Amino acid sequence: MRRHARFAQLAPAIDGDRFQRLVRAEHLAAARLDTGFSARIDNYGCLDLTFENRGEIAVVPYLIVQGLMLFLREANPFVWPSWLPPMRAQTAREIEAAVEPWMRSLAIARFVNGEIVKFFDGAGDELRDLFARARSFGFLGAAPTEDVLVRNAPYVYAQRFASRKRVAIVDRDGAGGAALLTRIAGVDVDLRDAERAAIAARWFGNDAFGRALTSGQYDVAIGPREAIPEATVRIALDEPHDGERLVRAAQPIPLSVMVTFDVADGDEVRRFAVSAPHLVLRKGGAPPTAVVGGSSGRIGLVVRDDYLGTGDADADAALALATQLCAQGFGANVVGASHVDPGAYDLLHVFGYRCAHVLSGSFARAGGAAKVPVVVSPYLDDPKSEAQWGSAVGRESLVNAADEALRAIYAGAIAERRLSARTAPEIGASPAADAVVRQLLLSAGALIAAGGDEETRLRELGFGGPIRTVPGVLADELDAEPSIGSIVGLEDFVLVHAPLEARCNQYHIVRSCAKFGYPVVLLGSVLDTEYYGEVVAAMDAGGLWLPTAEVTAAEVAALYRRARVFADASWTCAGLYRMLRAATAGAAIVAPSSGSARSVWPGLAQIVDPASPASIEQGIKAAWERAPELAPATSARTIERHRPFDMLVATLDAYRLAAGVAGAPAPS
């Protein structure tokens, strides 16, 4: 029996006894196939199965069907949700045998583009009428997937507030949402329609629809503003009032991105308003940088051309440094590598070796004007040259494995460095070994290393010039926005701030947090849409994706000052800036073994192997459990050893040394 762990965030409460009584081949009454828009060519989609016996109903949603396997029997075509109650393999085989002839006939007829409903022989007129009513009400298992997801969007959002809480729902369309929230919370529901409530109670097997709302205080209330009771968190299915946060749900992409609050994913399909208490944020952090002033010099801070769209740590580092340099009187600006005019600057500071090829073209075009001092922060954080391989096989292992058993095999092979894929280079391939990259590093007037281990690697590479150690120059922290409770909920969380792509390994962080029940907040921009779908599908009720465009700088500052743990398990990072910021703000740190975090926070940062899900689990668990001890110590060490002013002075010293090597006046 194959199982998948997708869509746990959308899983309804399912009574185990009812499931055991009804989910059998002889009680199979209806099946609804939705092909959706899966990126996998061998997926026909998801099946929702309805079982009925003596008036009782059980619905089993999100049974993945791999259509290709109906004919090329490499594996069972049916992949069952792992979050269902326990089920005998023989029972599953009997149900599959009842469904497969219908599936094969559809495939042969090529009638598999869209939604199809089939009633089996045991489905009488009463069941068909009930199914039609459930479908008209948008109930999971009967209605089209998009209809279900749009109706349930506010309740998916509510999960971040609802775990182990009291929830009140007043909403004609709230039955499906109530079924979701009953899995994690105590729920009272008023559907404002007795017939709808009776059908919902029968369809979902849930007694929440028979309980009246009480006058007591609720933790969460959902419904039209004028109808819902007082609660700590209120989700009003209306336009926002002053002090409330507008949330916009985007068009679902069934089987890919099921529920999204990022309108970059699709057209807005509904909106609602959220009000929640302000959060208590940690105080402290690094003191504001002293402004000495009187400095001058034109400094170009060179980053990748896509730095604004990518939103990675190297861009944060360059933008923060530009702010600090300008405050001291320098003329500093951030510029993409292909747009650099070397003659316009007194010194260039290059962030990351990945700029090398594009920057060499800019130098070639400038000709003699390219004789300008150069300082490089290399971010040489892939000492085993396995990041390209690991990113590729990690992505391919998700794309090519629909069930948990095969994914576990692939994950084990990756952890042992013995998996290959068509799109993956061999271990040992690295752009850092490219001749153009080496030329940039070896010709620089000075280098800035993130830590002692990177300095060692640079010396081994053959660089004999001056090196200064600067993990980053933090910008002075903004006033943080305490209203982020309406975005992230009221509990502690793990923060991951990185572009969403296989290189950054968010999938395994999300799986680890789901295993331990830790809320996790992912912040960033989507660079790989298929990987994004896998990450979102792996989230449970505590998982949350925040697109950068949907949060302000003050809200980002608040996320850093509220996070219990900051986690990075990337195959290769774009510098330590975000870890430095999180450490200063008082979060416990989880960092990859490939970077310099071990040397910057020895004995404090929890170092994980990006190739090993077990290592990532252990690191996150240790950081979470030891956060009261680790976080203050990490913050104190960071503020003591890496104050922004001291790091700025060290950076300026590298500029002075590079100018001396080039025989040019130093910015001062």
Side-chain angles (χ1 to χ4, degrees):
M1 180 180 178
R2 301 174 70 197
R3 292 188 177 274
H4 71 83
R6 300 168 66 83
F7 316 135
Q9 199 173 59
L10 309 175
I14 300 175
D15 179 77
D17 292 339
R18 187 187 190 94
F19 183 89
Q20 299 298 337
R21 287 196 306 273
L22 296 177
V23 180
R24 301 179 181 180
E26 60 267 29
H27 302 324
L28 179 62
R32 195 192 67 84
L33 173 67
D34 199 332
T35 57
F37 302 97
S38 172
R40 295 193 182 91
I41 61 172
D42 62 340
N43 276 1
Y44 285 152
C46 278
L47 277 174
D48 296 338
L49 303 179
T50 302
F51 299 84
E52 188 272 338
N53 185 39
R54 298 180 181 178
E56 278 194 305
I57 302 292
V59 174
V60 175
Y62 305 128
L63 172 59
I64 288 178
V65 182
Q66 287 191 286
L68 186 63
M69 300 302 173
L70 292 167
F71 303 100
L72 301 176
R73 204 70 172 203
E74 295 178 1
N76 187 332
F78 300 95
V79 191
W80 296 77
S82 60
W83 36 260
L84 291 173
M87 183 181 192
R88 293 174 57 245
Q90 179 60 31
T91 300
R93 284 194 292 269
E94 291 169 356
I95 295 169
E96 292 162 3
V99 172
E100 185 168 339
W102 172 57
M103 294 295 304
R104 289 175 64 88
S105 68
L106 291 177
I108 291 171
R110 298 185 181 276
F111 185 44
V112 291
N113 184 23
E115 185 209 30
I116 308 164
V117 175
K118 175 178 175 58
F119 292 100
F120 292 88
D121 292 342
D125 290 342
E126 182 185 1
L127 184 281
R128 292 169 186 254
D129 290 343
L130 179 67
F131 190 97
R133 297 295 285 159
R135 185 175 174 84
S136 70
F137 295 150
F139 290 177
L140 176 66
T145 300
E146 290 187 47
D147 187 14
V148 172
L149 297 176
V150 171
R151 293 182 194 236
N152 289 355
Y155 301 92
V156 175
Y157 193 93
Q159 289 178 331
R160 68 198 66 185
F161 308 107
S163 182
R164 300 181 298 278
K165 300 293 194 301
R166 289 193 68 209
V167 179
I169 296 173
V170 184
D171 179 15
R172 283 175 56 84
D173 287 328
L180 292 184
L181 294 179
T182 303
R183 185 168 55 92
I184 61 172
V187 181
D188 297 336
V189 189
D190 179 1
L191 297 184
R192 319 193 90 178
D193 180 331
E195 178 198 17
R196 190 179 296 233
I199 292 174
R202 185 177 174 192
W203 187 261
F204 291 109
N206 192 323
D207 63 2
F209 304 104
R211 291 197 296 268
L213 270 63
T214 67
S215 58
Q217 176 72 20
Y218 286 95
D219 299 296
V220 184
I222 309 166
R225 182 178 286 101
E226 75 282 355
I228 55 178
E230 288 301 314
T232 304
V233 176
R234 290 165 57 90
I235 299 178
L237 305 180
D238 303 291
E239 290 295 318
H241 286 183
D242 288 345
E244 296 179 333
R245 183 175 187 86
L246 170 66
V247 179
R248 300 176 294 170
Q251 180 71 37
I253 309 172
L255 311 189
S256 182
V257 180
M258 300 282 259
V259 175
T260 171
F261 303 102
D262 181 358
V263 291
D265 290 335
D267 295 336
E268 179 185 321
V269 291
R270 73 176 303 176
R271 53 174 49 197
F272 49 91
V274 181
S275 60
H278 285 195
L279 296 181
V280 176
L281 306 176
R282 289 186 296 270
K283 299 184 184 299
T289 305
V291 177
V292 176
S295 299
S296 64
R298 301 166 301 165
I299 302 172
L301 305 175
V302 184
V303 294
R304 294 173 287 169
D305 284 339
D306 62 353
Y307 73 99
L308 289 176
T310 300
D312 216 337
D314 54 352
D316 286 5
L319 292 166
L321 180 56
T323 300
Q324 295 286 23
L325 289 170
C326 289
Q328 303 296 341
F330 294 99
N333 67 289
V334 179
V335 58
S338 69
H339 303 290
V340 172
D341 175 7
Y345 298 100
D346 299 312
L347 180 140
L348 295 178
H349 182 169
V350 181
F351 288 78
Y353 65 81
R354 295 174 180 83
C355 295
H357 277 269
V358 176
L359 188 60
S360 68
S362 296
F363 284 157
R365 288 190 298 273
K371 303 301 183 183
V372 59
V374 175
V375 173
V376 181
S377 296
Y379 303 148
L380 207 64
D381 60 358
D382 183 22
K384 297 180 180 178
S385 299
E386 60 185 18
Q388 285 192 310
W389 164 83
S391 301
V393 295
R395 184 183 188 279
E396 290 297 313
S397 69
L398 299 179
V399 170
N400 290 291
D403 67 87
E404 287 297 290
L406 185 53
R407 287 191 173 187
I409 291 171
Y410 285 158
I414 293 172
E416 296 178 5
R417 275 72 175 176
R418 56 182 181 85
L419 187 66
S420 61
R422 178 180 53 83
T423 61
E426 296 295 324
I427 294 177
S430 171
D434 185 272
V436 176
V437 173
R438 293 175 62 89
Q439 177 62 28
L440 173 65
L441 298 181
L442 296 178
S443 64
L447 299 180
I448 296 177
D453 56 342
E454 186 180 12
E455 179 176 356
T456 299
R457 289 196 289 275
L458 292 169
R459 294 300 187 200
E460 292 171 348
L461 190 67
F463 183 76
I467 298 177
R468 293 294 178 263
T469 300
V470 178
V473 181
L474 291 180
D476 291 344
E477 198 58 76
L478 300 171
D479 290 335
E481 175 51 68
S483 66
I484 60 161
S486 62
I487 310 173
V488 299
L490 308 182
E491 308 299 327
D492 288 347
F493 56 86
V494 175
L495 176 62
V496 184
H497 188 186
L500 240 176
E501 59 174 336
R503 171 181 66 86
C504 297
N505 227 8
Q506 287 98 334
Y507 177 82
H508 289 300
I509 296 177
V510 165
R511 290 291 300 264
S512 298
C513 290
K515 177 177 179 177
F516 298 122
Y518 303 155
V520 58
V521 176
L522 307 183
L523 173 66
S525 51
V526 176
L527 301 189
D528 182 334
T529 54
E530 188 167 20
Y531 187 76
Y532 168 45
E534 291 290 351
V535 171
V536 172
M539 288 180 174
D540 71 349
L544 170 63
W545 157 246
L546 286 180
T548 304
E550 294 291 319
V551 291
T552 66
E555 288 168 340
V556 173
L559 292 173
Y560 274 83
R561 287 174 53 184
R562 178 68 181 187
R564 181 184 181 99
V565 173
F566 184 90
D568 188 331
S570 301
W571 285 98
T572 177
C573 305
L576 294 182
Y577 185 88
R578 288 174 176 169
M579 280 184 251
L580 193 73
R581 183 181 184 184
T584 302
I589 301 297
V590 176
S593 56
S594 55
S596 296
R598 192 194 309 270
S599 64
V600 176
W601 297 287
L604 295 172
Q606 302 303 298
I607 305 301
V608 301
D609 178 2
S612 169
S615 174
I616 295 170
E617 286 180 6
Q618 292 163 9
I620 290 175
K621 186 172 189 288
W624 183 277
E625 292 178 348
R626 297 179 58 199
E629 160 204 351
L630 293 173
T634 304
S635 179
R637 178 185 175 89
T638 307
I639 294 169
E640 176 188 355
R641 293 174 178 252
H642 306 296
R643 286 192 312 152
F645 184 78
D646 295 341
M647 297 298 96
L648 180 60
V649 169
T651 299
L652 292 175
D653 190 43
Y655 293 178
R656 177 185 62 81
L657 294 167
V661 171
S668 61

